[in-house]
Amino acid sequence: MQPSGYTIFMVEDDQSVRDALGLLLGLQGYPVVMFADAESFLKAYRQEWRGCLLIDIRMPGMDGLALQKRLLESGCRIPVIVMTGHGNVESAREAFLSQAVDFLEKPIDHAKLMRAIGEAFARQMDAENQENESTEFTQLLANLTPRETEVMELVVEGRHNREIAEALDISPRTVEVHKARMMMKLRVESVPDLVRLSLRRHNKNRT
Amino acid sequence: MRSLITHFFQWLAFVIAYVALDWASYLHALYGLNITPWNPSLALGLVCSLRYGRRIAIPWFIALLLGEIMVRGLPAPMLTTIVLSGCMVVGYSAIAETLRRYVNAGDVLPDQRTLLSWLAIVILGTLATSGLYISLLLVADLIPAGDWVVALARFWVGDCVGIIVTMPFFWMLFEHHSRMRDMLLRWETAGYGMLAAFMLWVAFGLGGSGEFQYFYLLFLPLVWAAARQGVAGAAIAAFMLQAGIIIAVHWLQLVAVTAFELQMLGAVLAFVGLFIGVVIDEKQRVSVELRQSLRLAAAGEMAGALAHELNQPLTSLTAYGMACEQLLEQGETGERLRETIHRMISESYRAADVVRRLRDFFRTGATRLETISLGELLASAASPFAAKAQQQGVDLIVDSESTRILLADRLQLEVVLRNLLSNAFDAVADQSAGQRHVRLSAHPESADSVCICVEDSGPGLTEANAGRIFEAFQSSKSSGMGLGLAISRAIVEAHGGSLLAEISDHGLFKLVLPTEGKDDDAA
């Protein structure tokens, strides 16, 4: 069963295909929202939407690949499944370069579509978990005292307790106390966990 | 047993025809021997040898012998005649064998190289057989020793001319799928035949008294035939002219020397005709091949595009089918299931429509030109849209008043016009009710061409997409295959016209086509 709150957003210009796929996915229990073209999707798009996108390549106006690229550039992380009736290597390459989950050729093999949707939802969930983790981490960082923050930064850089003690001009024993309190406040079990979380936060701030 | 009888009658017919030709061409003989200005019977022998193989040597020998006895009344002793005829058959069979090896692959004289090879083999082969024959005559003491050069030249030229002038004619007559037999039944053949007769009369009747200074007029019917009907026409005309020359020679009772010169002229005449014919045939073949490959390319693209278009209904059919299963599983048997099945049916129709279009294209694949009235063409192309117009609230105006005549393939042009009209209908679909206009009209472009306009009240084309729409797979429509316009343009250009998309504030396509005959209704 798919996670609650996940929706399939379908952008497909062919009315019958849209209707048929919408009906089928709806019957299988997925919430489905349909759009006839890329422009109306972009107009309706909300940051908080979760789930996956099912995009047809050939459409009047903006085509599917352009829509995919536009979403990627604007920082939208919803996983995308690309469909096409006229697949070629070039369009498949472009789709995967823009991080498509799958590239499905029409007539669509339903089993493949199901697998792709499952994969897309899994990716979405991963992304969401990571996001939650790092939001939480940022919130927890605010609880640290200035000294604890200094200790944390040096720990992440890979310094030993003695080096930290020298750098901050305090005793190694005090460093150990600060470090233990800092780890507890940030709710991390080990130094590698701390490094992972702070690196992710760092990367996110950079992008 | 049966094939033996058939063979026997074939051989009998061959012997009779051979002796008859021998008799008919036995004119101006030297020393009462078979040394005459032309030997068409030899051409018949070669053609039959090519067609039926080496076994024709036996009846050929009999025919030669009978010719000596019946036509020339046995000028030499029987034994000598038998030896001479035997040598001749061996010599001629060797020529036939060489021809079989080098020029008898497939068609008769298909290209220039084959024509030249054929000519070289004939000239050298007859020189060799003539040398053999004259040497034998000298040995048998049948001609004066001092005259051997003249005798050799006469005999050689007689054989050579006989073959060059008549062999292509017989050759094509005996072809399996003879091009020539069709040509013989055409009015045009009678036309240049009459011209040939007239020119012969001018050359020999009027100018016969002088030095035949009007001989060159005989080139006219020959060039006509070769230019219009290729090698087959050239062979017919050369044969006609040769027969005419022989009759004239006989009728005017020309001396042997003049007849000999006329034969040389006849051979050159025939060769020129054949050469033009071969060049014409080659050109024709290249153009047919080109058209064929263009058609195949278009058909390939068409098939690819339609396969793509079939994917849409197939996708929805599969999804609807699975949805039905799902509904049944959920115990739903009422309205929802019925509705889904109904949609499946209409999707099947949509798929069928795609297939129908492919079939239409292949059916109209071959261009069949006929004279059609422009007005009728517009009316019949627009007729399927009348109901659609009413249904979709489109104001469709068809101005089919024109009485001009086109020479065109009706089905293909209808495909083009329907395609343009269908595009126009799609273009106005988004307009508000009352603003949907589509107009099909025609007006004279010049004295010998006409412009058909398909206009709609849609948004029209911008400069950017006007260039791209004629490329394959450039569709702005989901159901379109992006090929309609590419194919349409190819069809219109095959009719010698052009298809243009105008950059305008409304949709406008112009189709310019050449008309047949003069303008009736334009000022």
Side-chain angles (χ1 to χ4, degrees):
Chain A
M1 201 58 219
Q2 60 281 353
S4 62
Y6 278 14
T7 308
I8 298 174
F9 301 92
M10 194 193 319
V11 189
E12 159 70 64
D13 60 325
D14 189 287
Q15 198 239 321
S16 312
V17 173
R18 198 169 64 227
D19 182 73
L21 283 177
L23 177 69
L24 179 58
L25 294 172
L27 284 171
Q28 289 180 329
Y30 295 98
V32 184
V33 181
M34 296 179 275
F35 301 90
D37 52 57
E39 286 81 1
S40 58
F41 172 81
L42 285 174
K43 208 178 287 173
Y45 178 69
R46 294 282 168 275
Q47 195 80 48
E48 60 270 21
W49 281 0
R50 294 290 176 267
C52 77
L53 263 173
L54 196 53
I55 304 181
D56 186 30
I57 291 189
R58 213 177 70 176
M59 290 186 290
M62 182 189 282
D63 73 13
L65 293 175
L67 171 63
Q68 196 193 357
K69 211 169 283 173
R70 168 82 74 89
L71 288 173
L72 192 69
E73 281 163 10
S74 67
C76 164
R77 290 287 182 272
I78 297 188
V80 174
I81 300 168
V82 173
M83 306 184 285
T84 179
H86 190 70
N88 56 29
V89 175
E90 188 47 42
S91 53
R93 181 175 166 273
E94 239 177 277
F96 283 119
L97 276 180
S98 306
Q99 296 166 21
V101 174
D102 207 343
F103 185 86
L104 300 174
E105 278 191 293
K106 288 177 182 176
I108 292 196
D109 181 333
H110 198 66
K112 281 188 192 162
L113 178 62
M114 289 291 99
R115 220 176 300 138
I117 290 174
E119 162 78 18
F121 280 1
R123 276 201 205 179
Q124 173 78 90
M125 186 131 46
D126 261 9
E128 218 175 346
N129 285 343
Q130 284 184 9
E131 207 166 317
N132 289 343
E133 252 181 3
S134 62
T135 327
E136 194 187 42
F137 187 70
T138 314
Q139 284 165 357
L140 293 176
L141 277 178
N143 299 337
L144 299 185
T145 62
R147 184 57 94 184
E148 282 164 0
T149 310
E150 278 172 343
V151 171
M152 184 207 81
E153 275 161 7
L154 289 165
V155 168
V156 170
E157 275 174 27
R159 305 288 184 87
H160 292 295
N161 287 354
R162 185 172 301 166
E163 291 172 307
I164 297 172
E166 267 173 37
L168 299 179
D169 201 16
I170 49 176
S171 75
R173 179 85 191 110
T174 321
V175 171
E176 255 172 51
V177 173
H178 282 310
K179 190 172 162 189
R181 289 174 66 95
M182 176 268 291
M183 302 269 278
M184 198 186 67
K185 278 186 178 172
L186 292 179
R187 296 179 200 160
V188 290
E189 306 271 307
S190 61
V191 175
D193 270 355
L194 175 70
V195 172
R196 183 171 61 82
L197 283 170
S198 70
L199 269 182
R200 186 180 296 157
R201 179 171 162 274
H202 191 68
N203 285 344
K204 200 180 168 196
N205 288 347
R206 207 173 45 191
T207 49
Chain B
M1 190 66 207
R2 191 181 201 162
S3 74
L4 244 158
I5 295 174
T6 323
H7 276 145
F8 176 75
F9 279 108
Q10 274 176 357
W11 288 11
L12 191 66
F14 170 73
V15 170
I16 292 170
Y18 198 94
V19 175
L21 273 175
D22 196 356
W23 172 77
S25 65
Y26 183 60
L27 306 159
H28 303 283
L30 209 57
Y31 319 116
L33 293 166
N34 191 12
I35 304 177
T36 54
W38 78 319
N39 294 333
S41 48
L42 184 51
L44 181 69
L46 284 176
V47 168
C48 287
S49 179
L50 285 179
R51 176 78 196 270
Y52 299 107
R54 284 171 211 158
R55 59 172 189 267
I56 208 77
I58 299 162
W60 201 347
F61 174 70
I62 296 169
L64 277 172
L65 209 56
L66 276 176
E68 292 296 331
I69 297 166
M70 293 168 70
V71 179
R72 283 170 283 280
L74 204 62
M78 192 61 186
L79 190 65
T80 316
T81 309
I82 289 176
V83 173
L84 280 173
S85 302
C87 286
M88 286 296 93
V89 167
V90 171
Y92 294 151
S93 295
I95 298 179
E97 199 59 36
T98 319
L99 287 176
R100 201 192 327 275
R101 181 169 301 174
Y102 292 104
V103 298
N104 197 34
D107 287 344
V108 175
L109 301 178
D111 51 37
Q112 296 175 35
R113 206 186 67 81
T114 317
L115 178 69
L116 293 176
S117 315
W118 170 73
L119 193 72
I121 292 168
V122 167
I123 290 173
L124 296 177
T126 49
L127 179 61
T129 50
S130 306
L132 180 70
Y133 187 66
I134 298 301
S135 320
L136 286 170
L137 289 182
L138 279 173
V139 169
D141 208 17
L142 284 166
I143 52 170
D147 282 358
W148 73 273
V149 177
V150 177
L152 177 70
R154 289 284 182 86
F155 191 76
W156 177 32
V157 170
D159 275 7
C160 206
V161 168
I163 294 174
I164 291 173
V165 173
T166 45
M167 187 171 164
F169 182 79
F170 290 130
W171 209 354
M172 297 186 119
L173 208 58
F174 283 101
E175 246 184 323
H176 275 292
H177 302 286
S178 177
R179 288 169 276 173
M180 192 146 97
R181 268 171 266 166
D182 302 338
M183 305 276 182
L184 280 173
L185 297 175
R186 292 197 191 159
W187 284 110
E188 195 169 9
T189 310
Y192 63 70
M194 273 151 70
L195 182 67
F198 178 71
M199 290 307 175
L200 280 165
W201 177 72
V202 173
F204 291 99
L206 293 180
S209 50
E211 294 287 290
F212 304 110
Q213 71 265 41
Y214 296 124
F215 191 86
Y216 61 85
L217 288 176
L218 298 180
F219 278 94
L220 292 178
L222 184 78
V223 170
W224 174 359
R228 295 280 305 161
Q229 300 180 345
V231 169
I236 297 171
F239 189 78
M240 284 176 177
L241 288 170
Q242 190 60 32
I245 291 171
I246 293 301
I247 292 167
V249 165
H250 206 53
W251 176 45
L252 294 173
Q253 304 206 322
L254 297 176
V255 288
V257 175
T258 319
F260 177 74
E261 281 168 1
L262 281 176
Q263 281 315 114
M264 293 293 283
L265 283 171
V268 172
L269 193 68
F271 179 70
V272 168
L274 289 173
F275 204 85
I276 296 174
V278 164
V279 172
I280 296 286
D281 279 356
E282 277 180 303
K283 288 267 186 295
Q284 184 81 16
R285 199 161 40 235
V286 168
S287 113
V288 167
E289 276 164 12
L290 181 67
R291 204 173 312 158
Q292 189 64 26
S293 60
L294 277 179
R295 175 154 310 291
L296 277 181
E301 266 185 72
M302 186 85 176
L306 286 173
H308 168 222
E309 207 184 343
L310 267 178
N311 285 333
Q312 301 280 33
L314 284 179
T315 302
S316 34
L317 268 176
T318 320
Y320 279 135
M322 294 182 86
C324 283
E325 276 183 350
Q326 198 90 31
L327 284 169
L328 283 172
E329 250 170 55
Q330 293 170 6
E332 168 81 51
T333 50
E335 197 50 46
R336 239 180 131 191
L337 183 67
R338 189 169 308 142
E339 171 63 24
T340 310
I341 292 174
H342 181 75
R343 288 184 195 171
M344 278 182 87
I345 294 170
S346 61
E347 281 306 287
S348 316
Y349 281 135
R350 188 170 141 202
D353 195 49
V354 174
V355 175
R356 189 171 310 118
R357 250 189 294 163
L358 181 65
R359 208 181 47 202
D360 275 355
F361 176 76
F362 282 112
R363 196 164 48 202
T364 63
T367 310
R368 276 197 312 266
L369 298 181
E370 53 184 329
T371 50
I372 47 176
S373 144
L374 179 58
E376 279 173 29
L377 174 73
L378 297 191
S380 74
S383 65
F385 288 89
K388 199 177 171 186
Q390 207 156 28
Q391 208 175 25
Q392 300 180 356
V394 175
D395 176 26
L396 174 65
I397 303 167
V398 181
D399 171 19
S400 55
E401 290 301 297
S402 179
T403 56
R404 296 185 70 168
I405 300 295
L406 302 172
L407 186 63
D409 186 311
R410 181 209 303 276
L411 276 175
Q412 285 190 355
L413 285 188
E414 277 183 18
V415 166
V416 172
L417 288 175
R418 285 193 191 139
N419 185 23
L420 292 176
L421 283 171
S422 163
N423 285 350
F425 270 70
D426 289 341
V428 298
D430 290 339
Q431 304 285 311
S432 57
Q435 292 299 311
R436 300 174 195 147
H437 306 291
V438 173
R439 185 178 148 88
L440 176 65
S441 61
H443 60 82
E445 175 89 357
S446 71
D448 54 4
S449 71
V450 69
C451 175
I452 301 172
C453 291
V454 182
E455 289 167 274
D456 62 66
S457 58
L461 291 169
T462 62
E463 204 158 338
N465 57 19
R468 288 177 64 203
I469 51 166
F470 287 105
E471 289 165 29
F473 303 117
Q474 288 293 343
S475 178
S476 63
K477 294 179 290 173
S478 55
S479 62
M481 53 195 164
L483 213 80
L485 285 173
I487 294 277
S488 297
R489 174 172 268 186
I491 291 177
V492 172
E493 284 175 357
H495 280 84
S498 57
L499 177 60
L500 307 164
E502 296 280 309
I503 297 157
S504 164
D505 58 340
H506 67 292
L508 173 56
F509 280 86
K510 282 186 169 175
L511 200 165
V512 180
L513 282 171
T515 52
E516 183 71 355
K518 280 290 135 197
D519 191 1
D520 299 336
D521 57 350

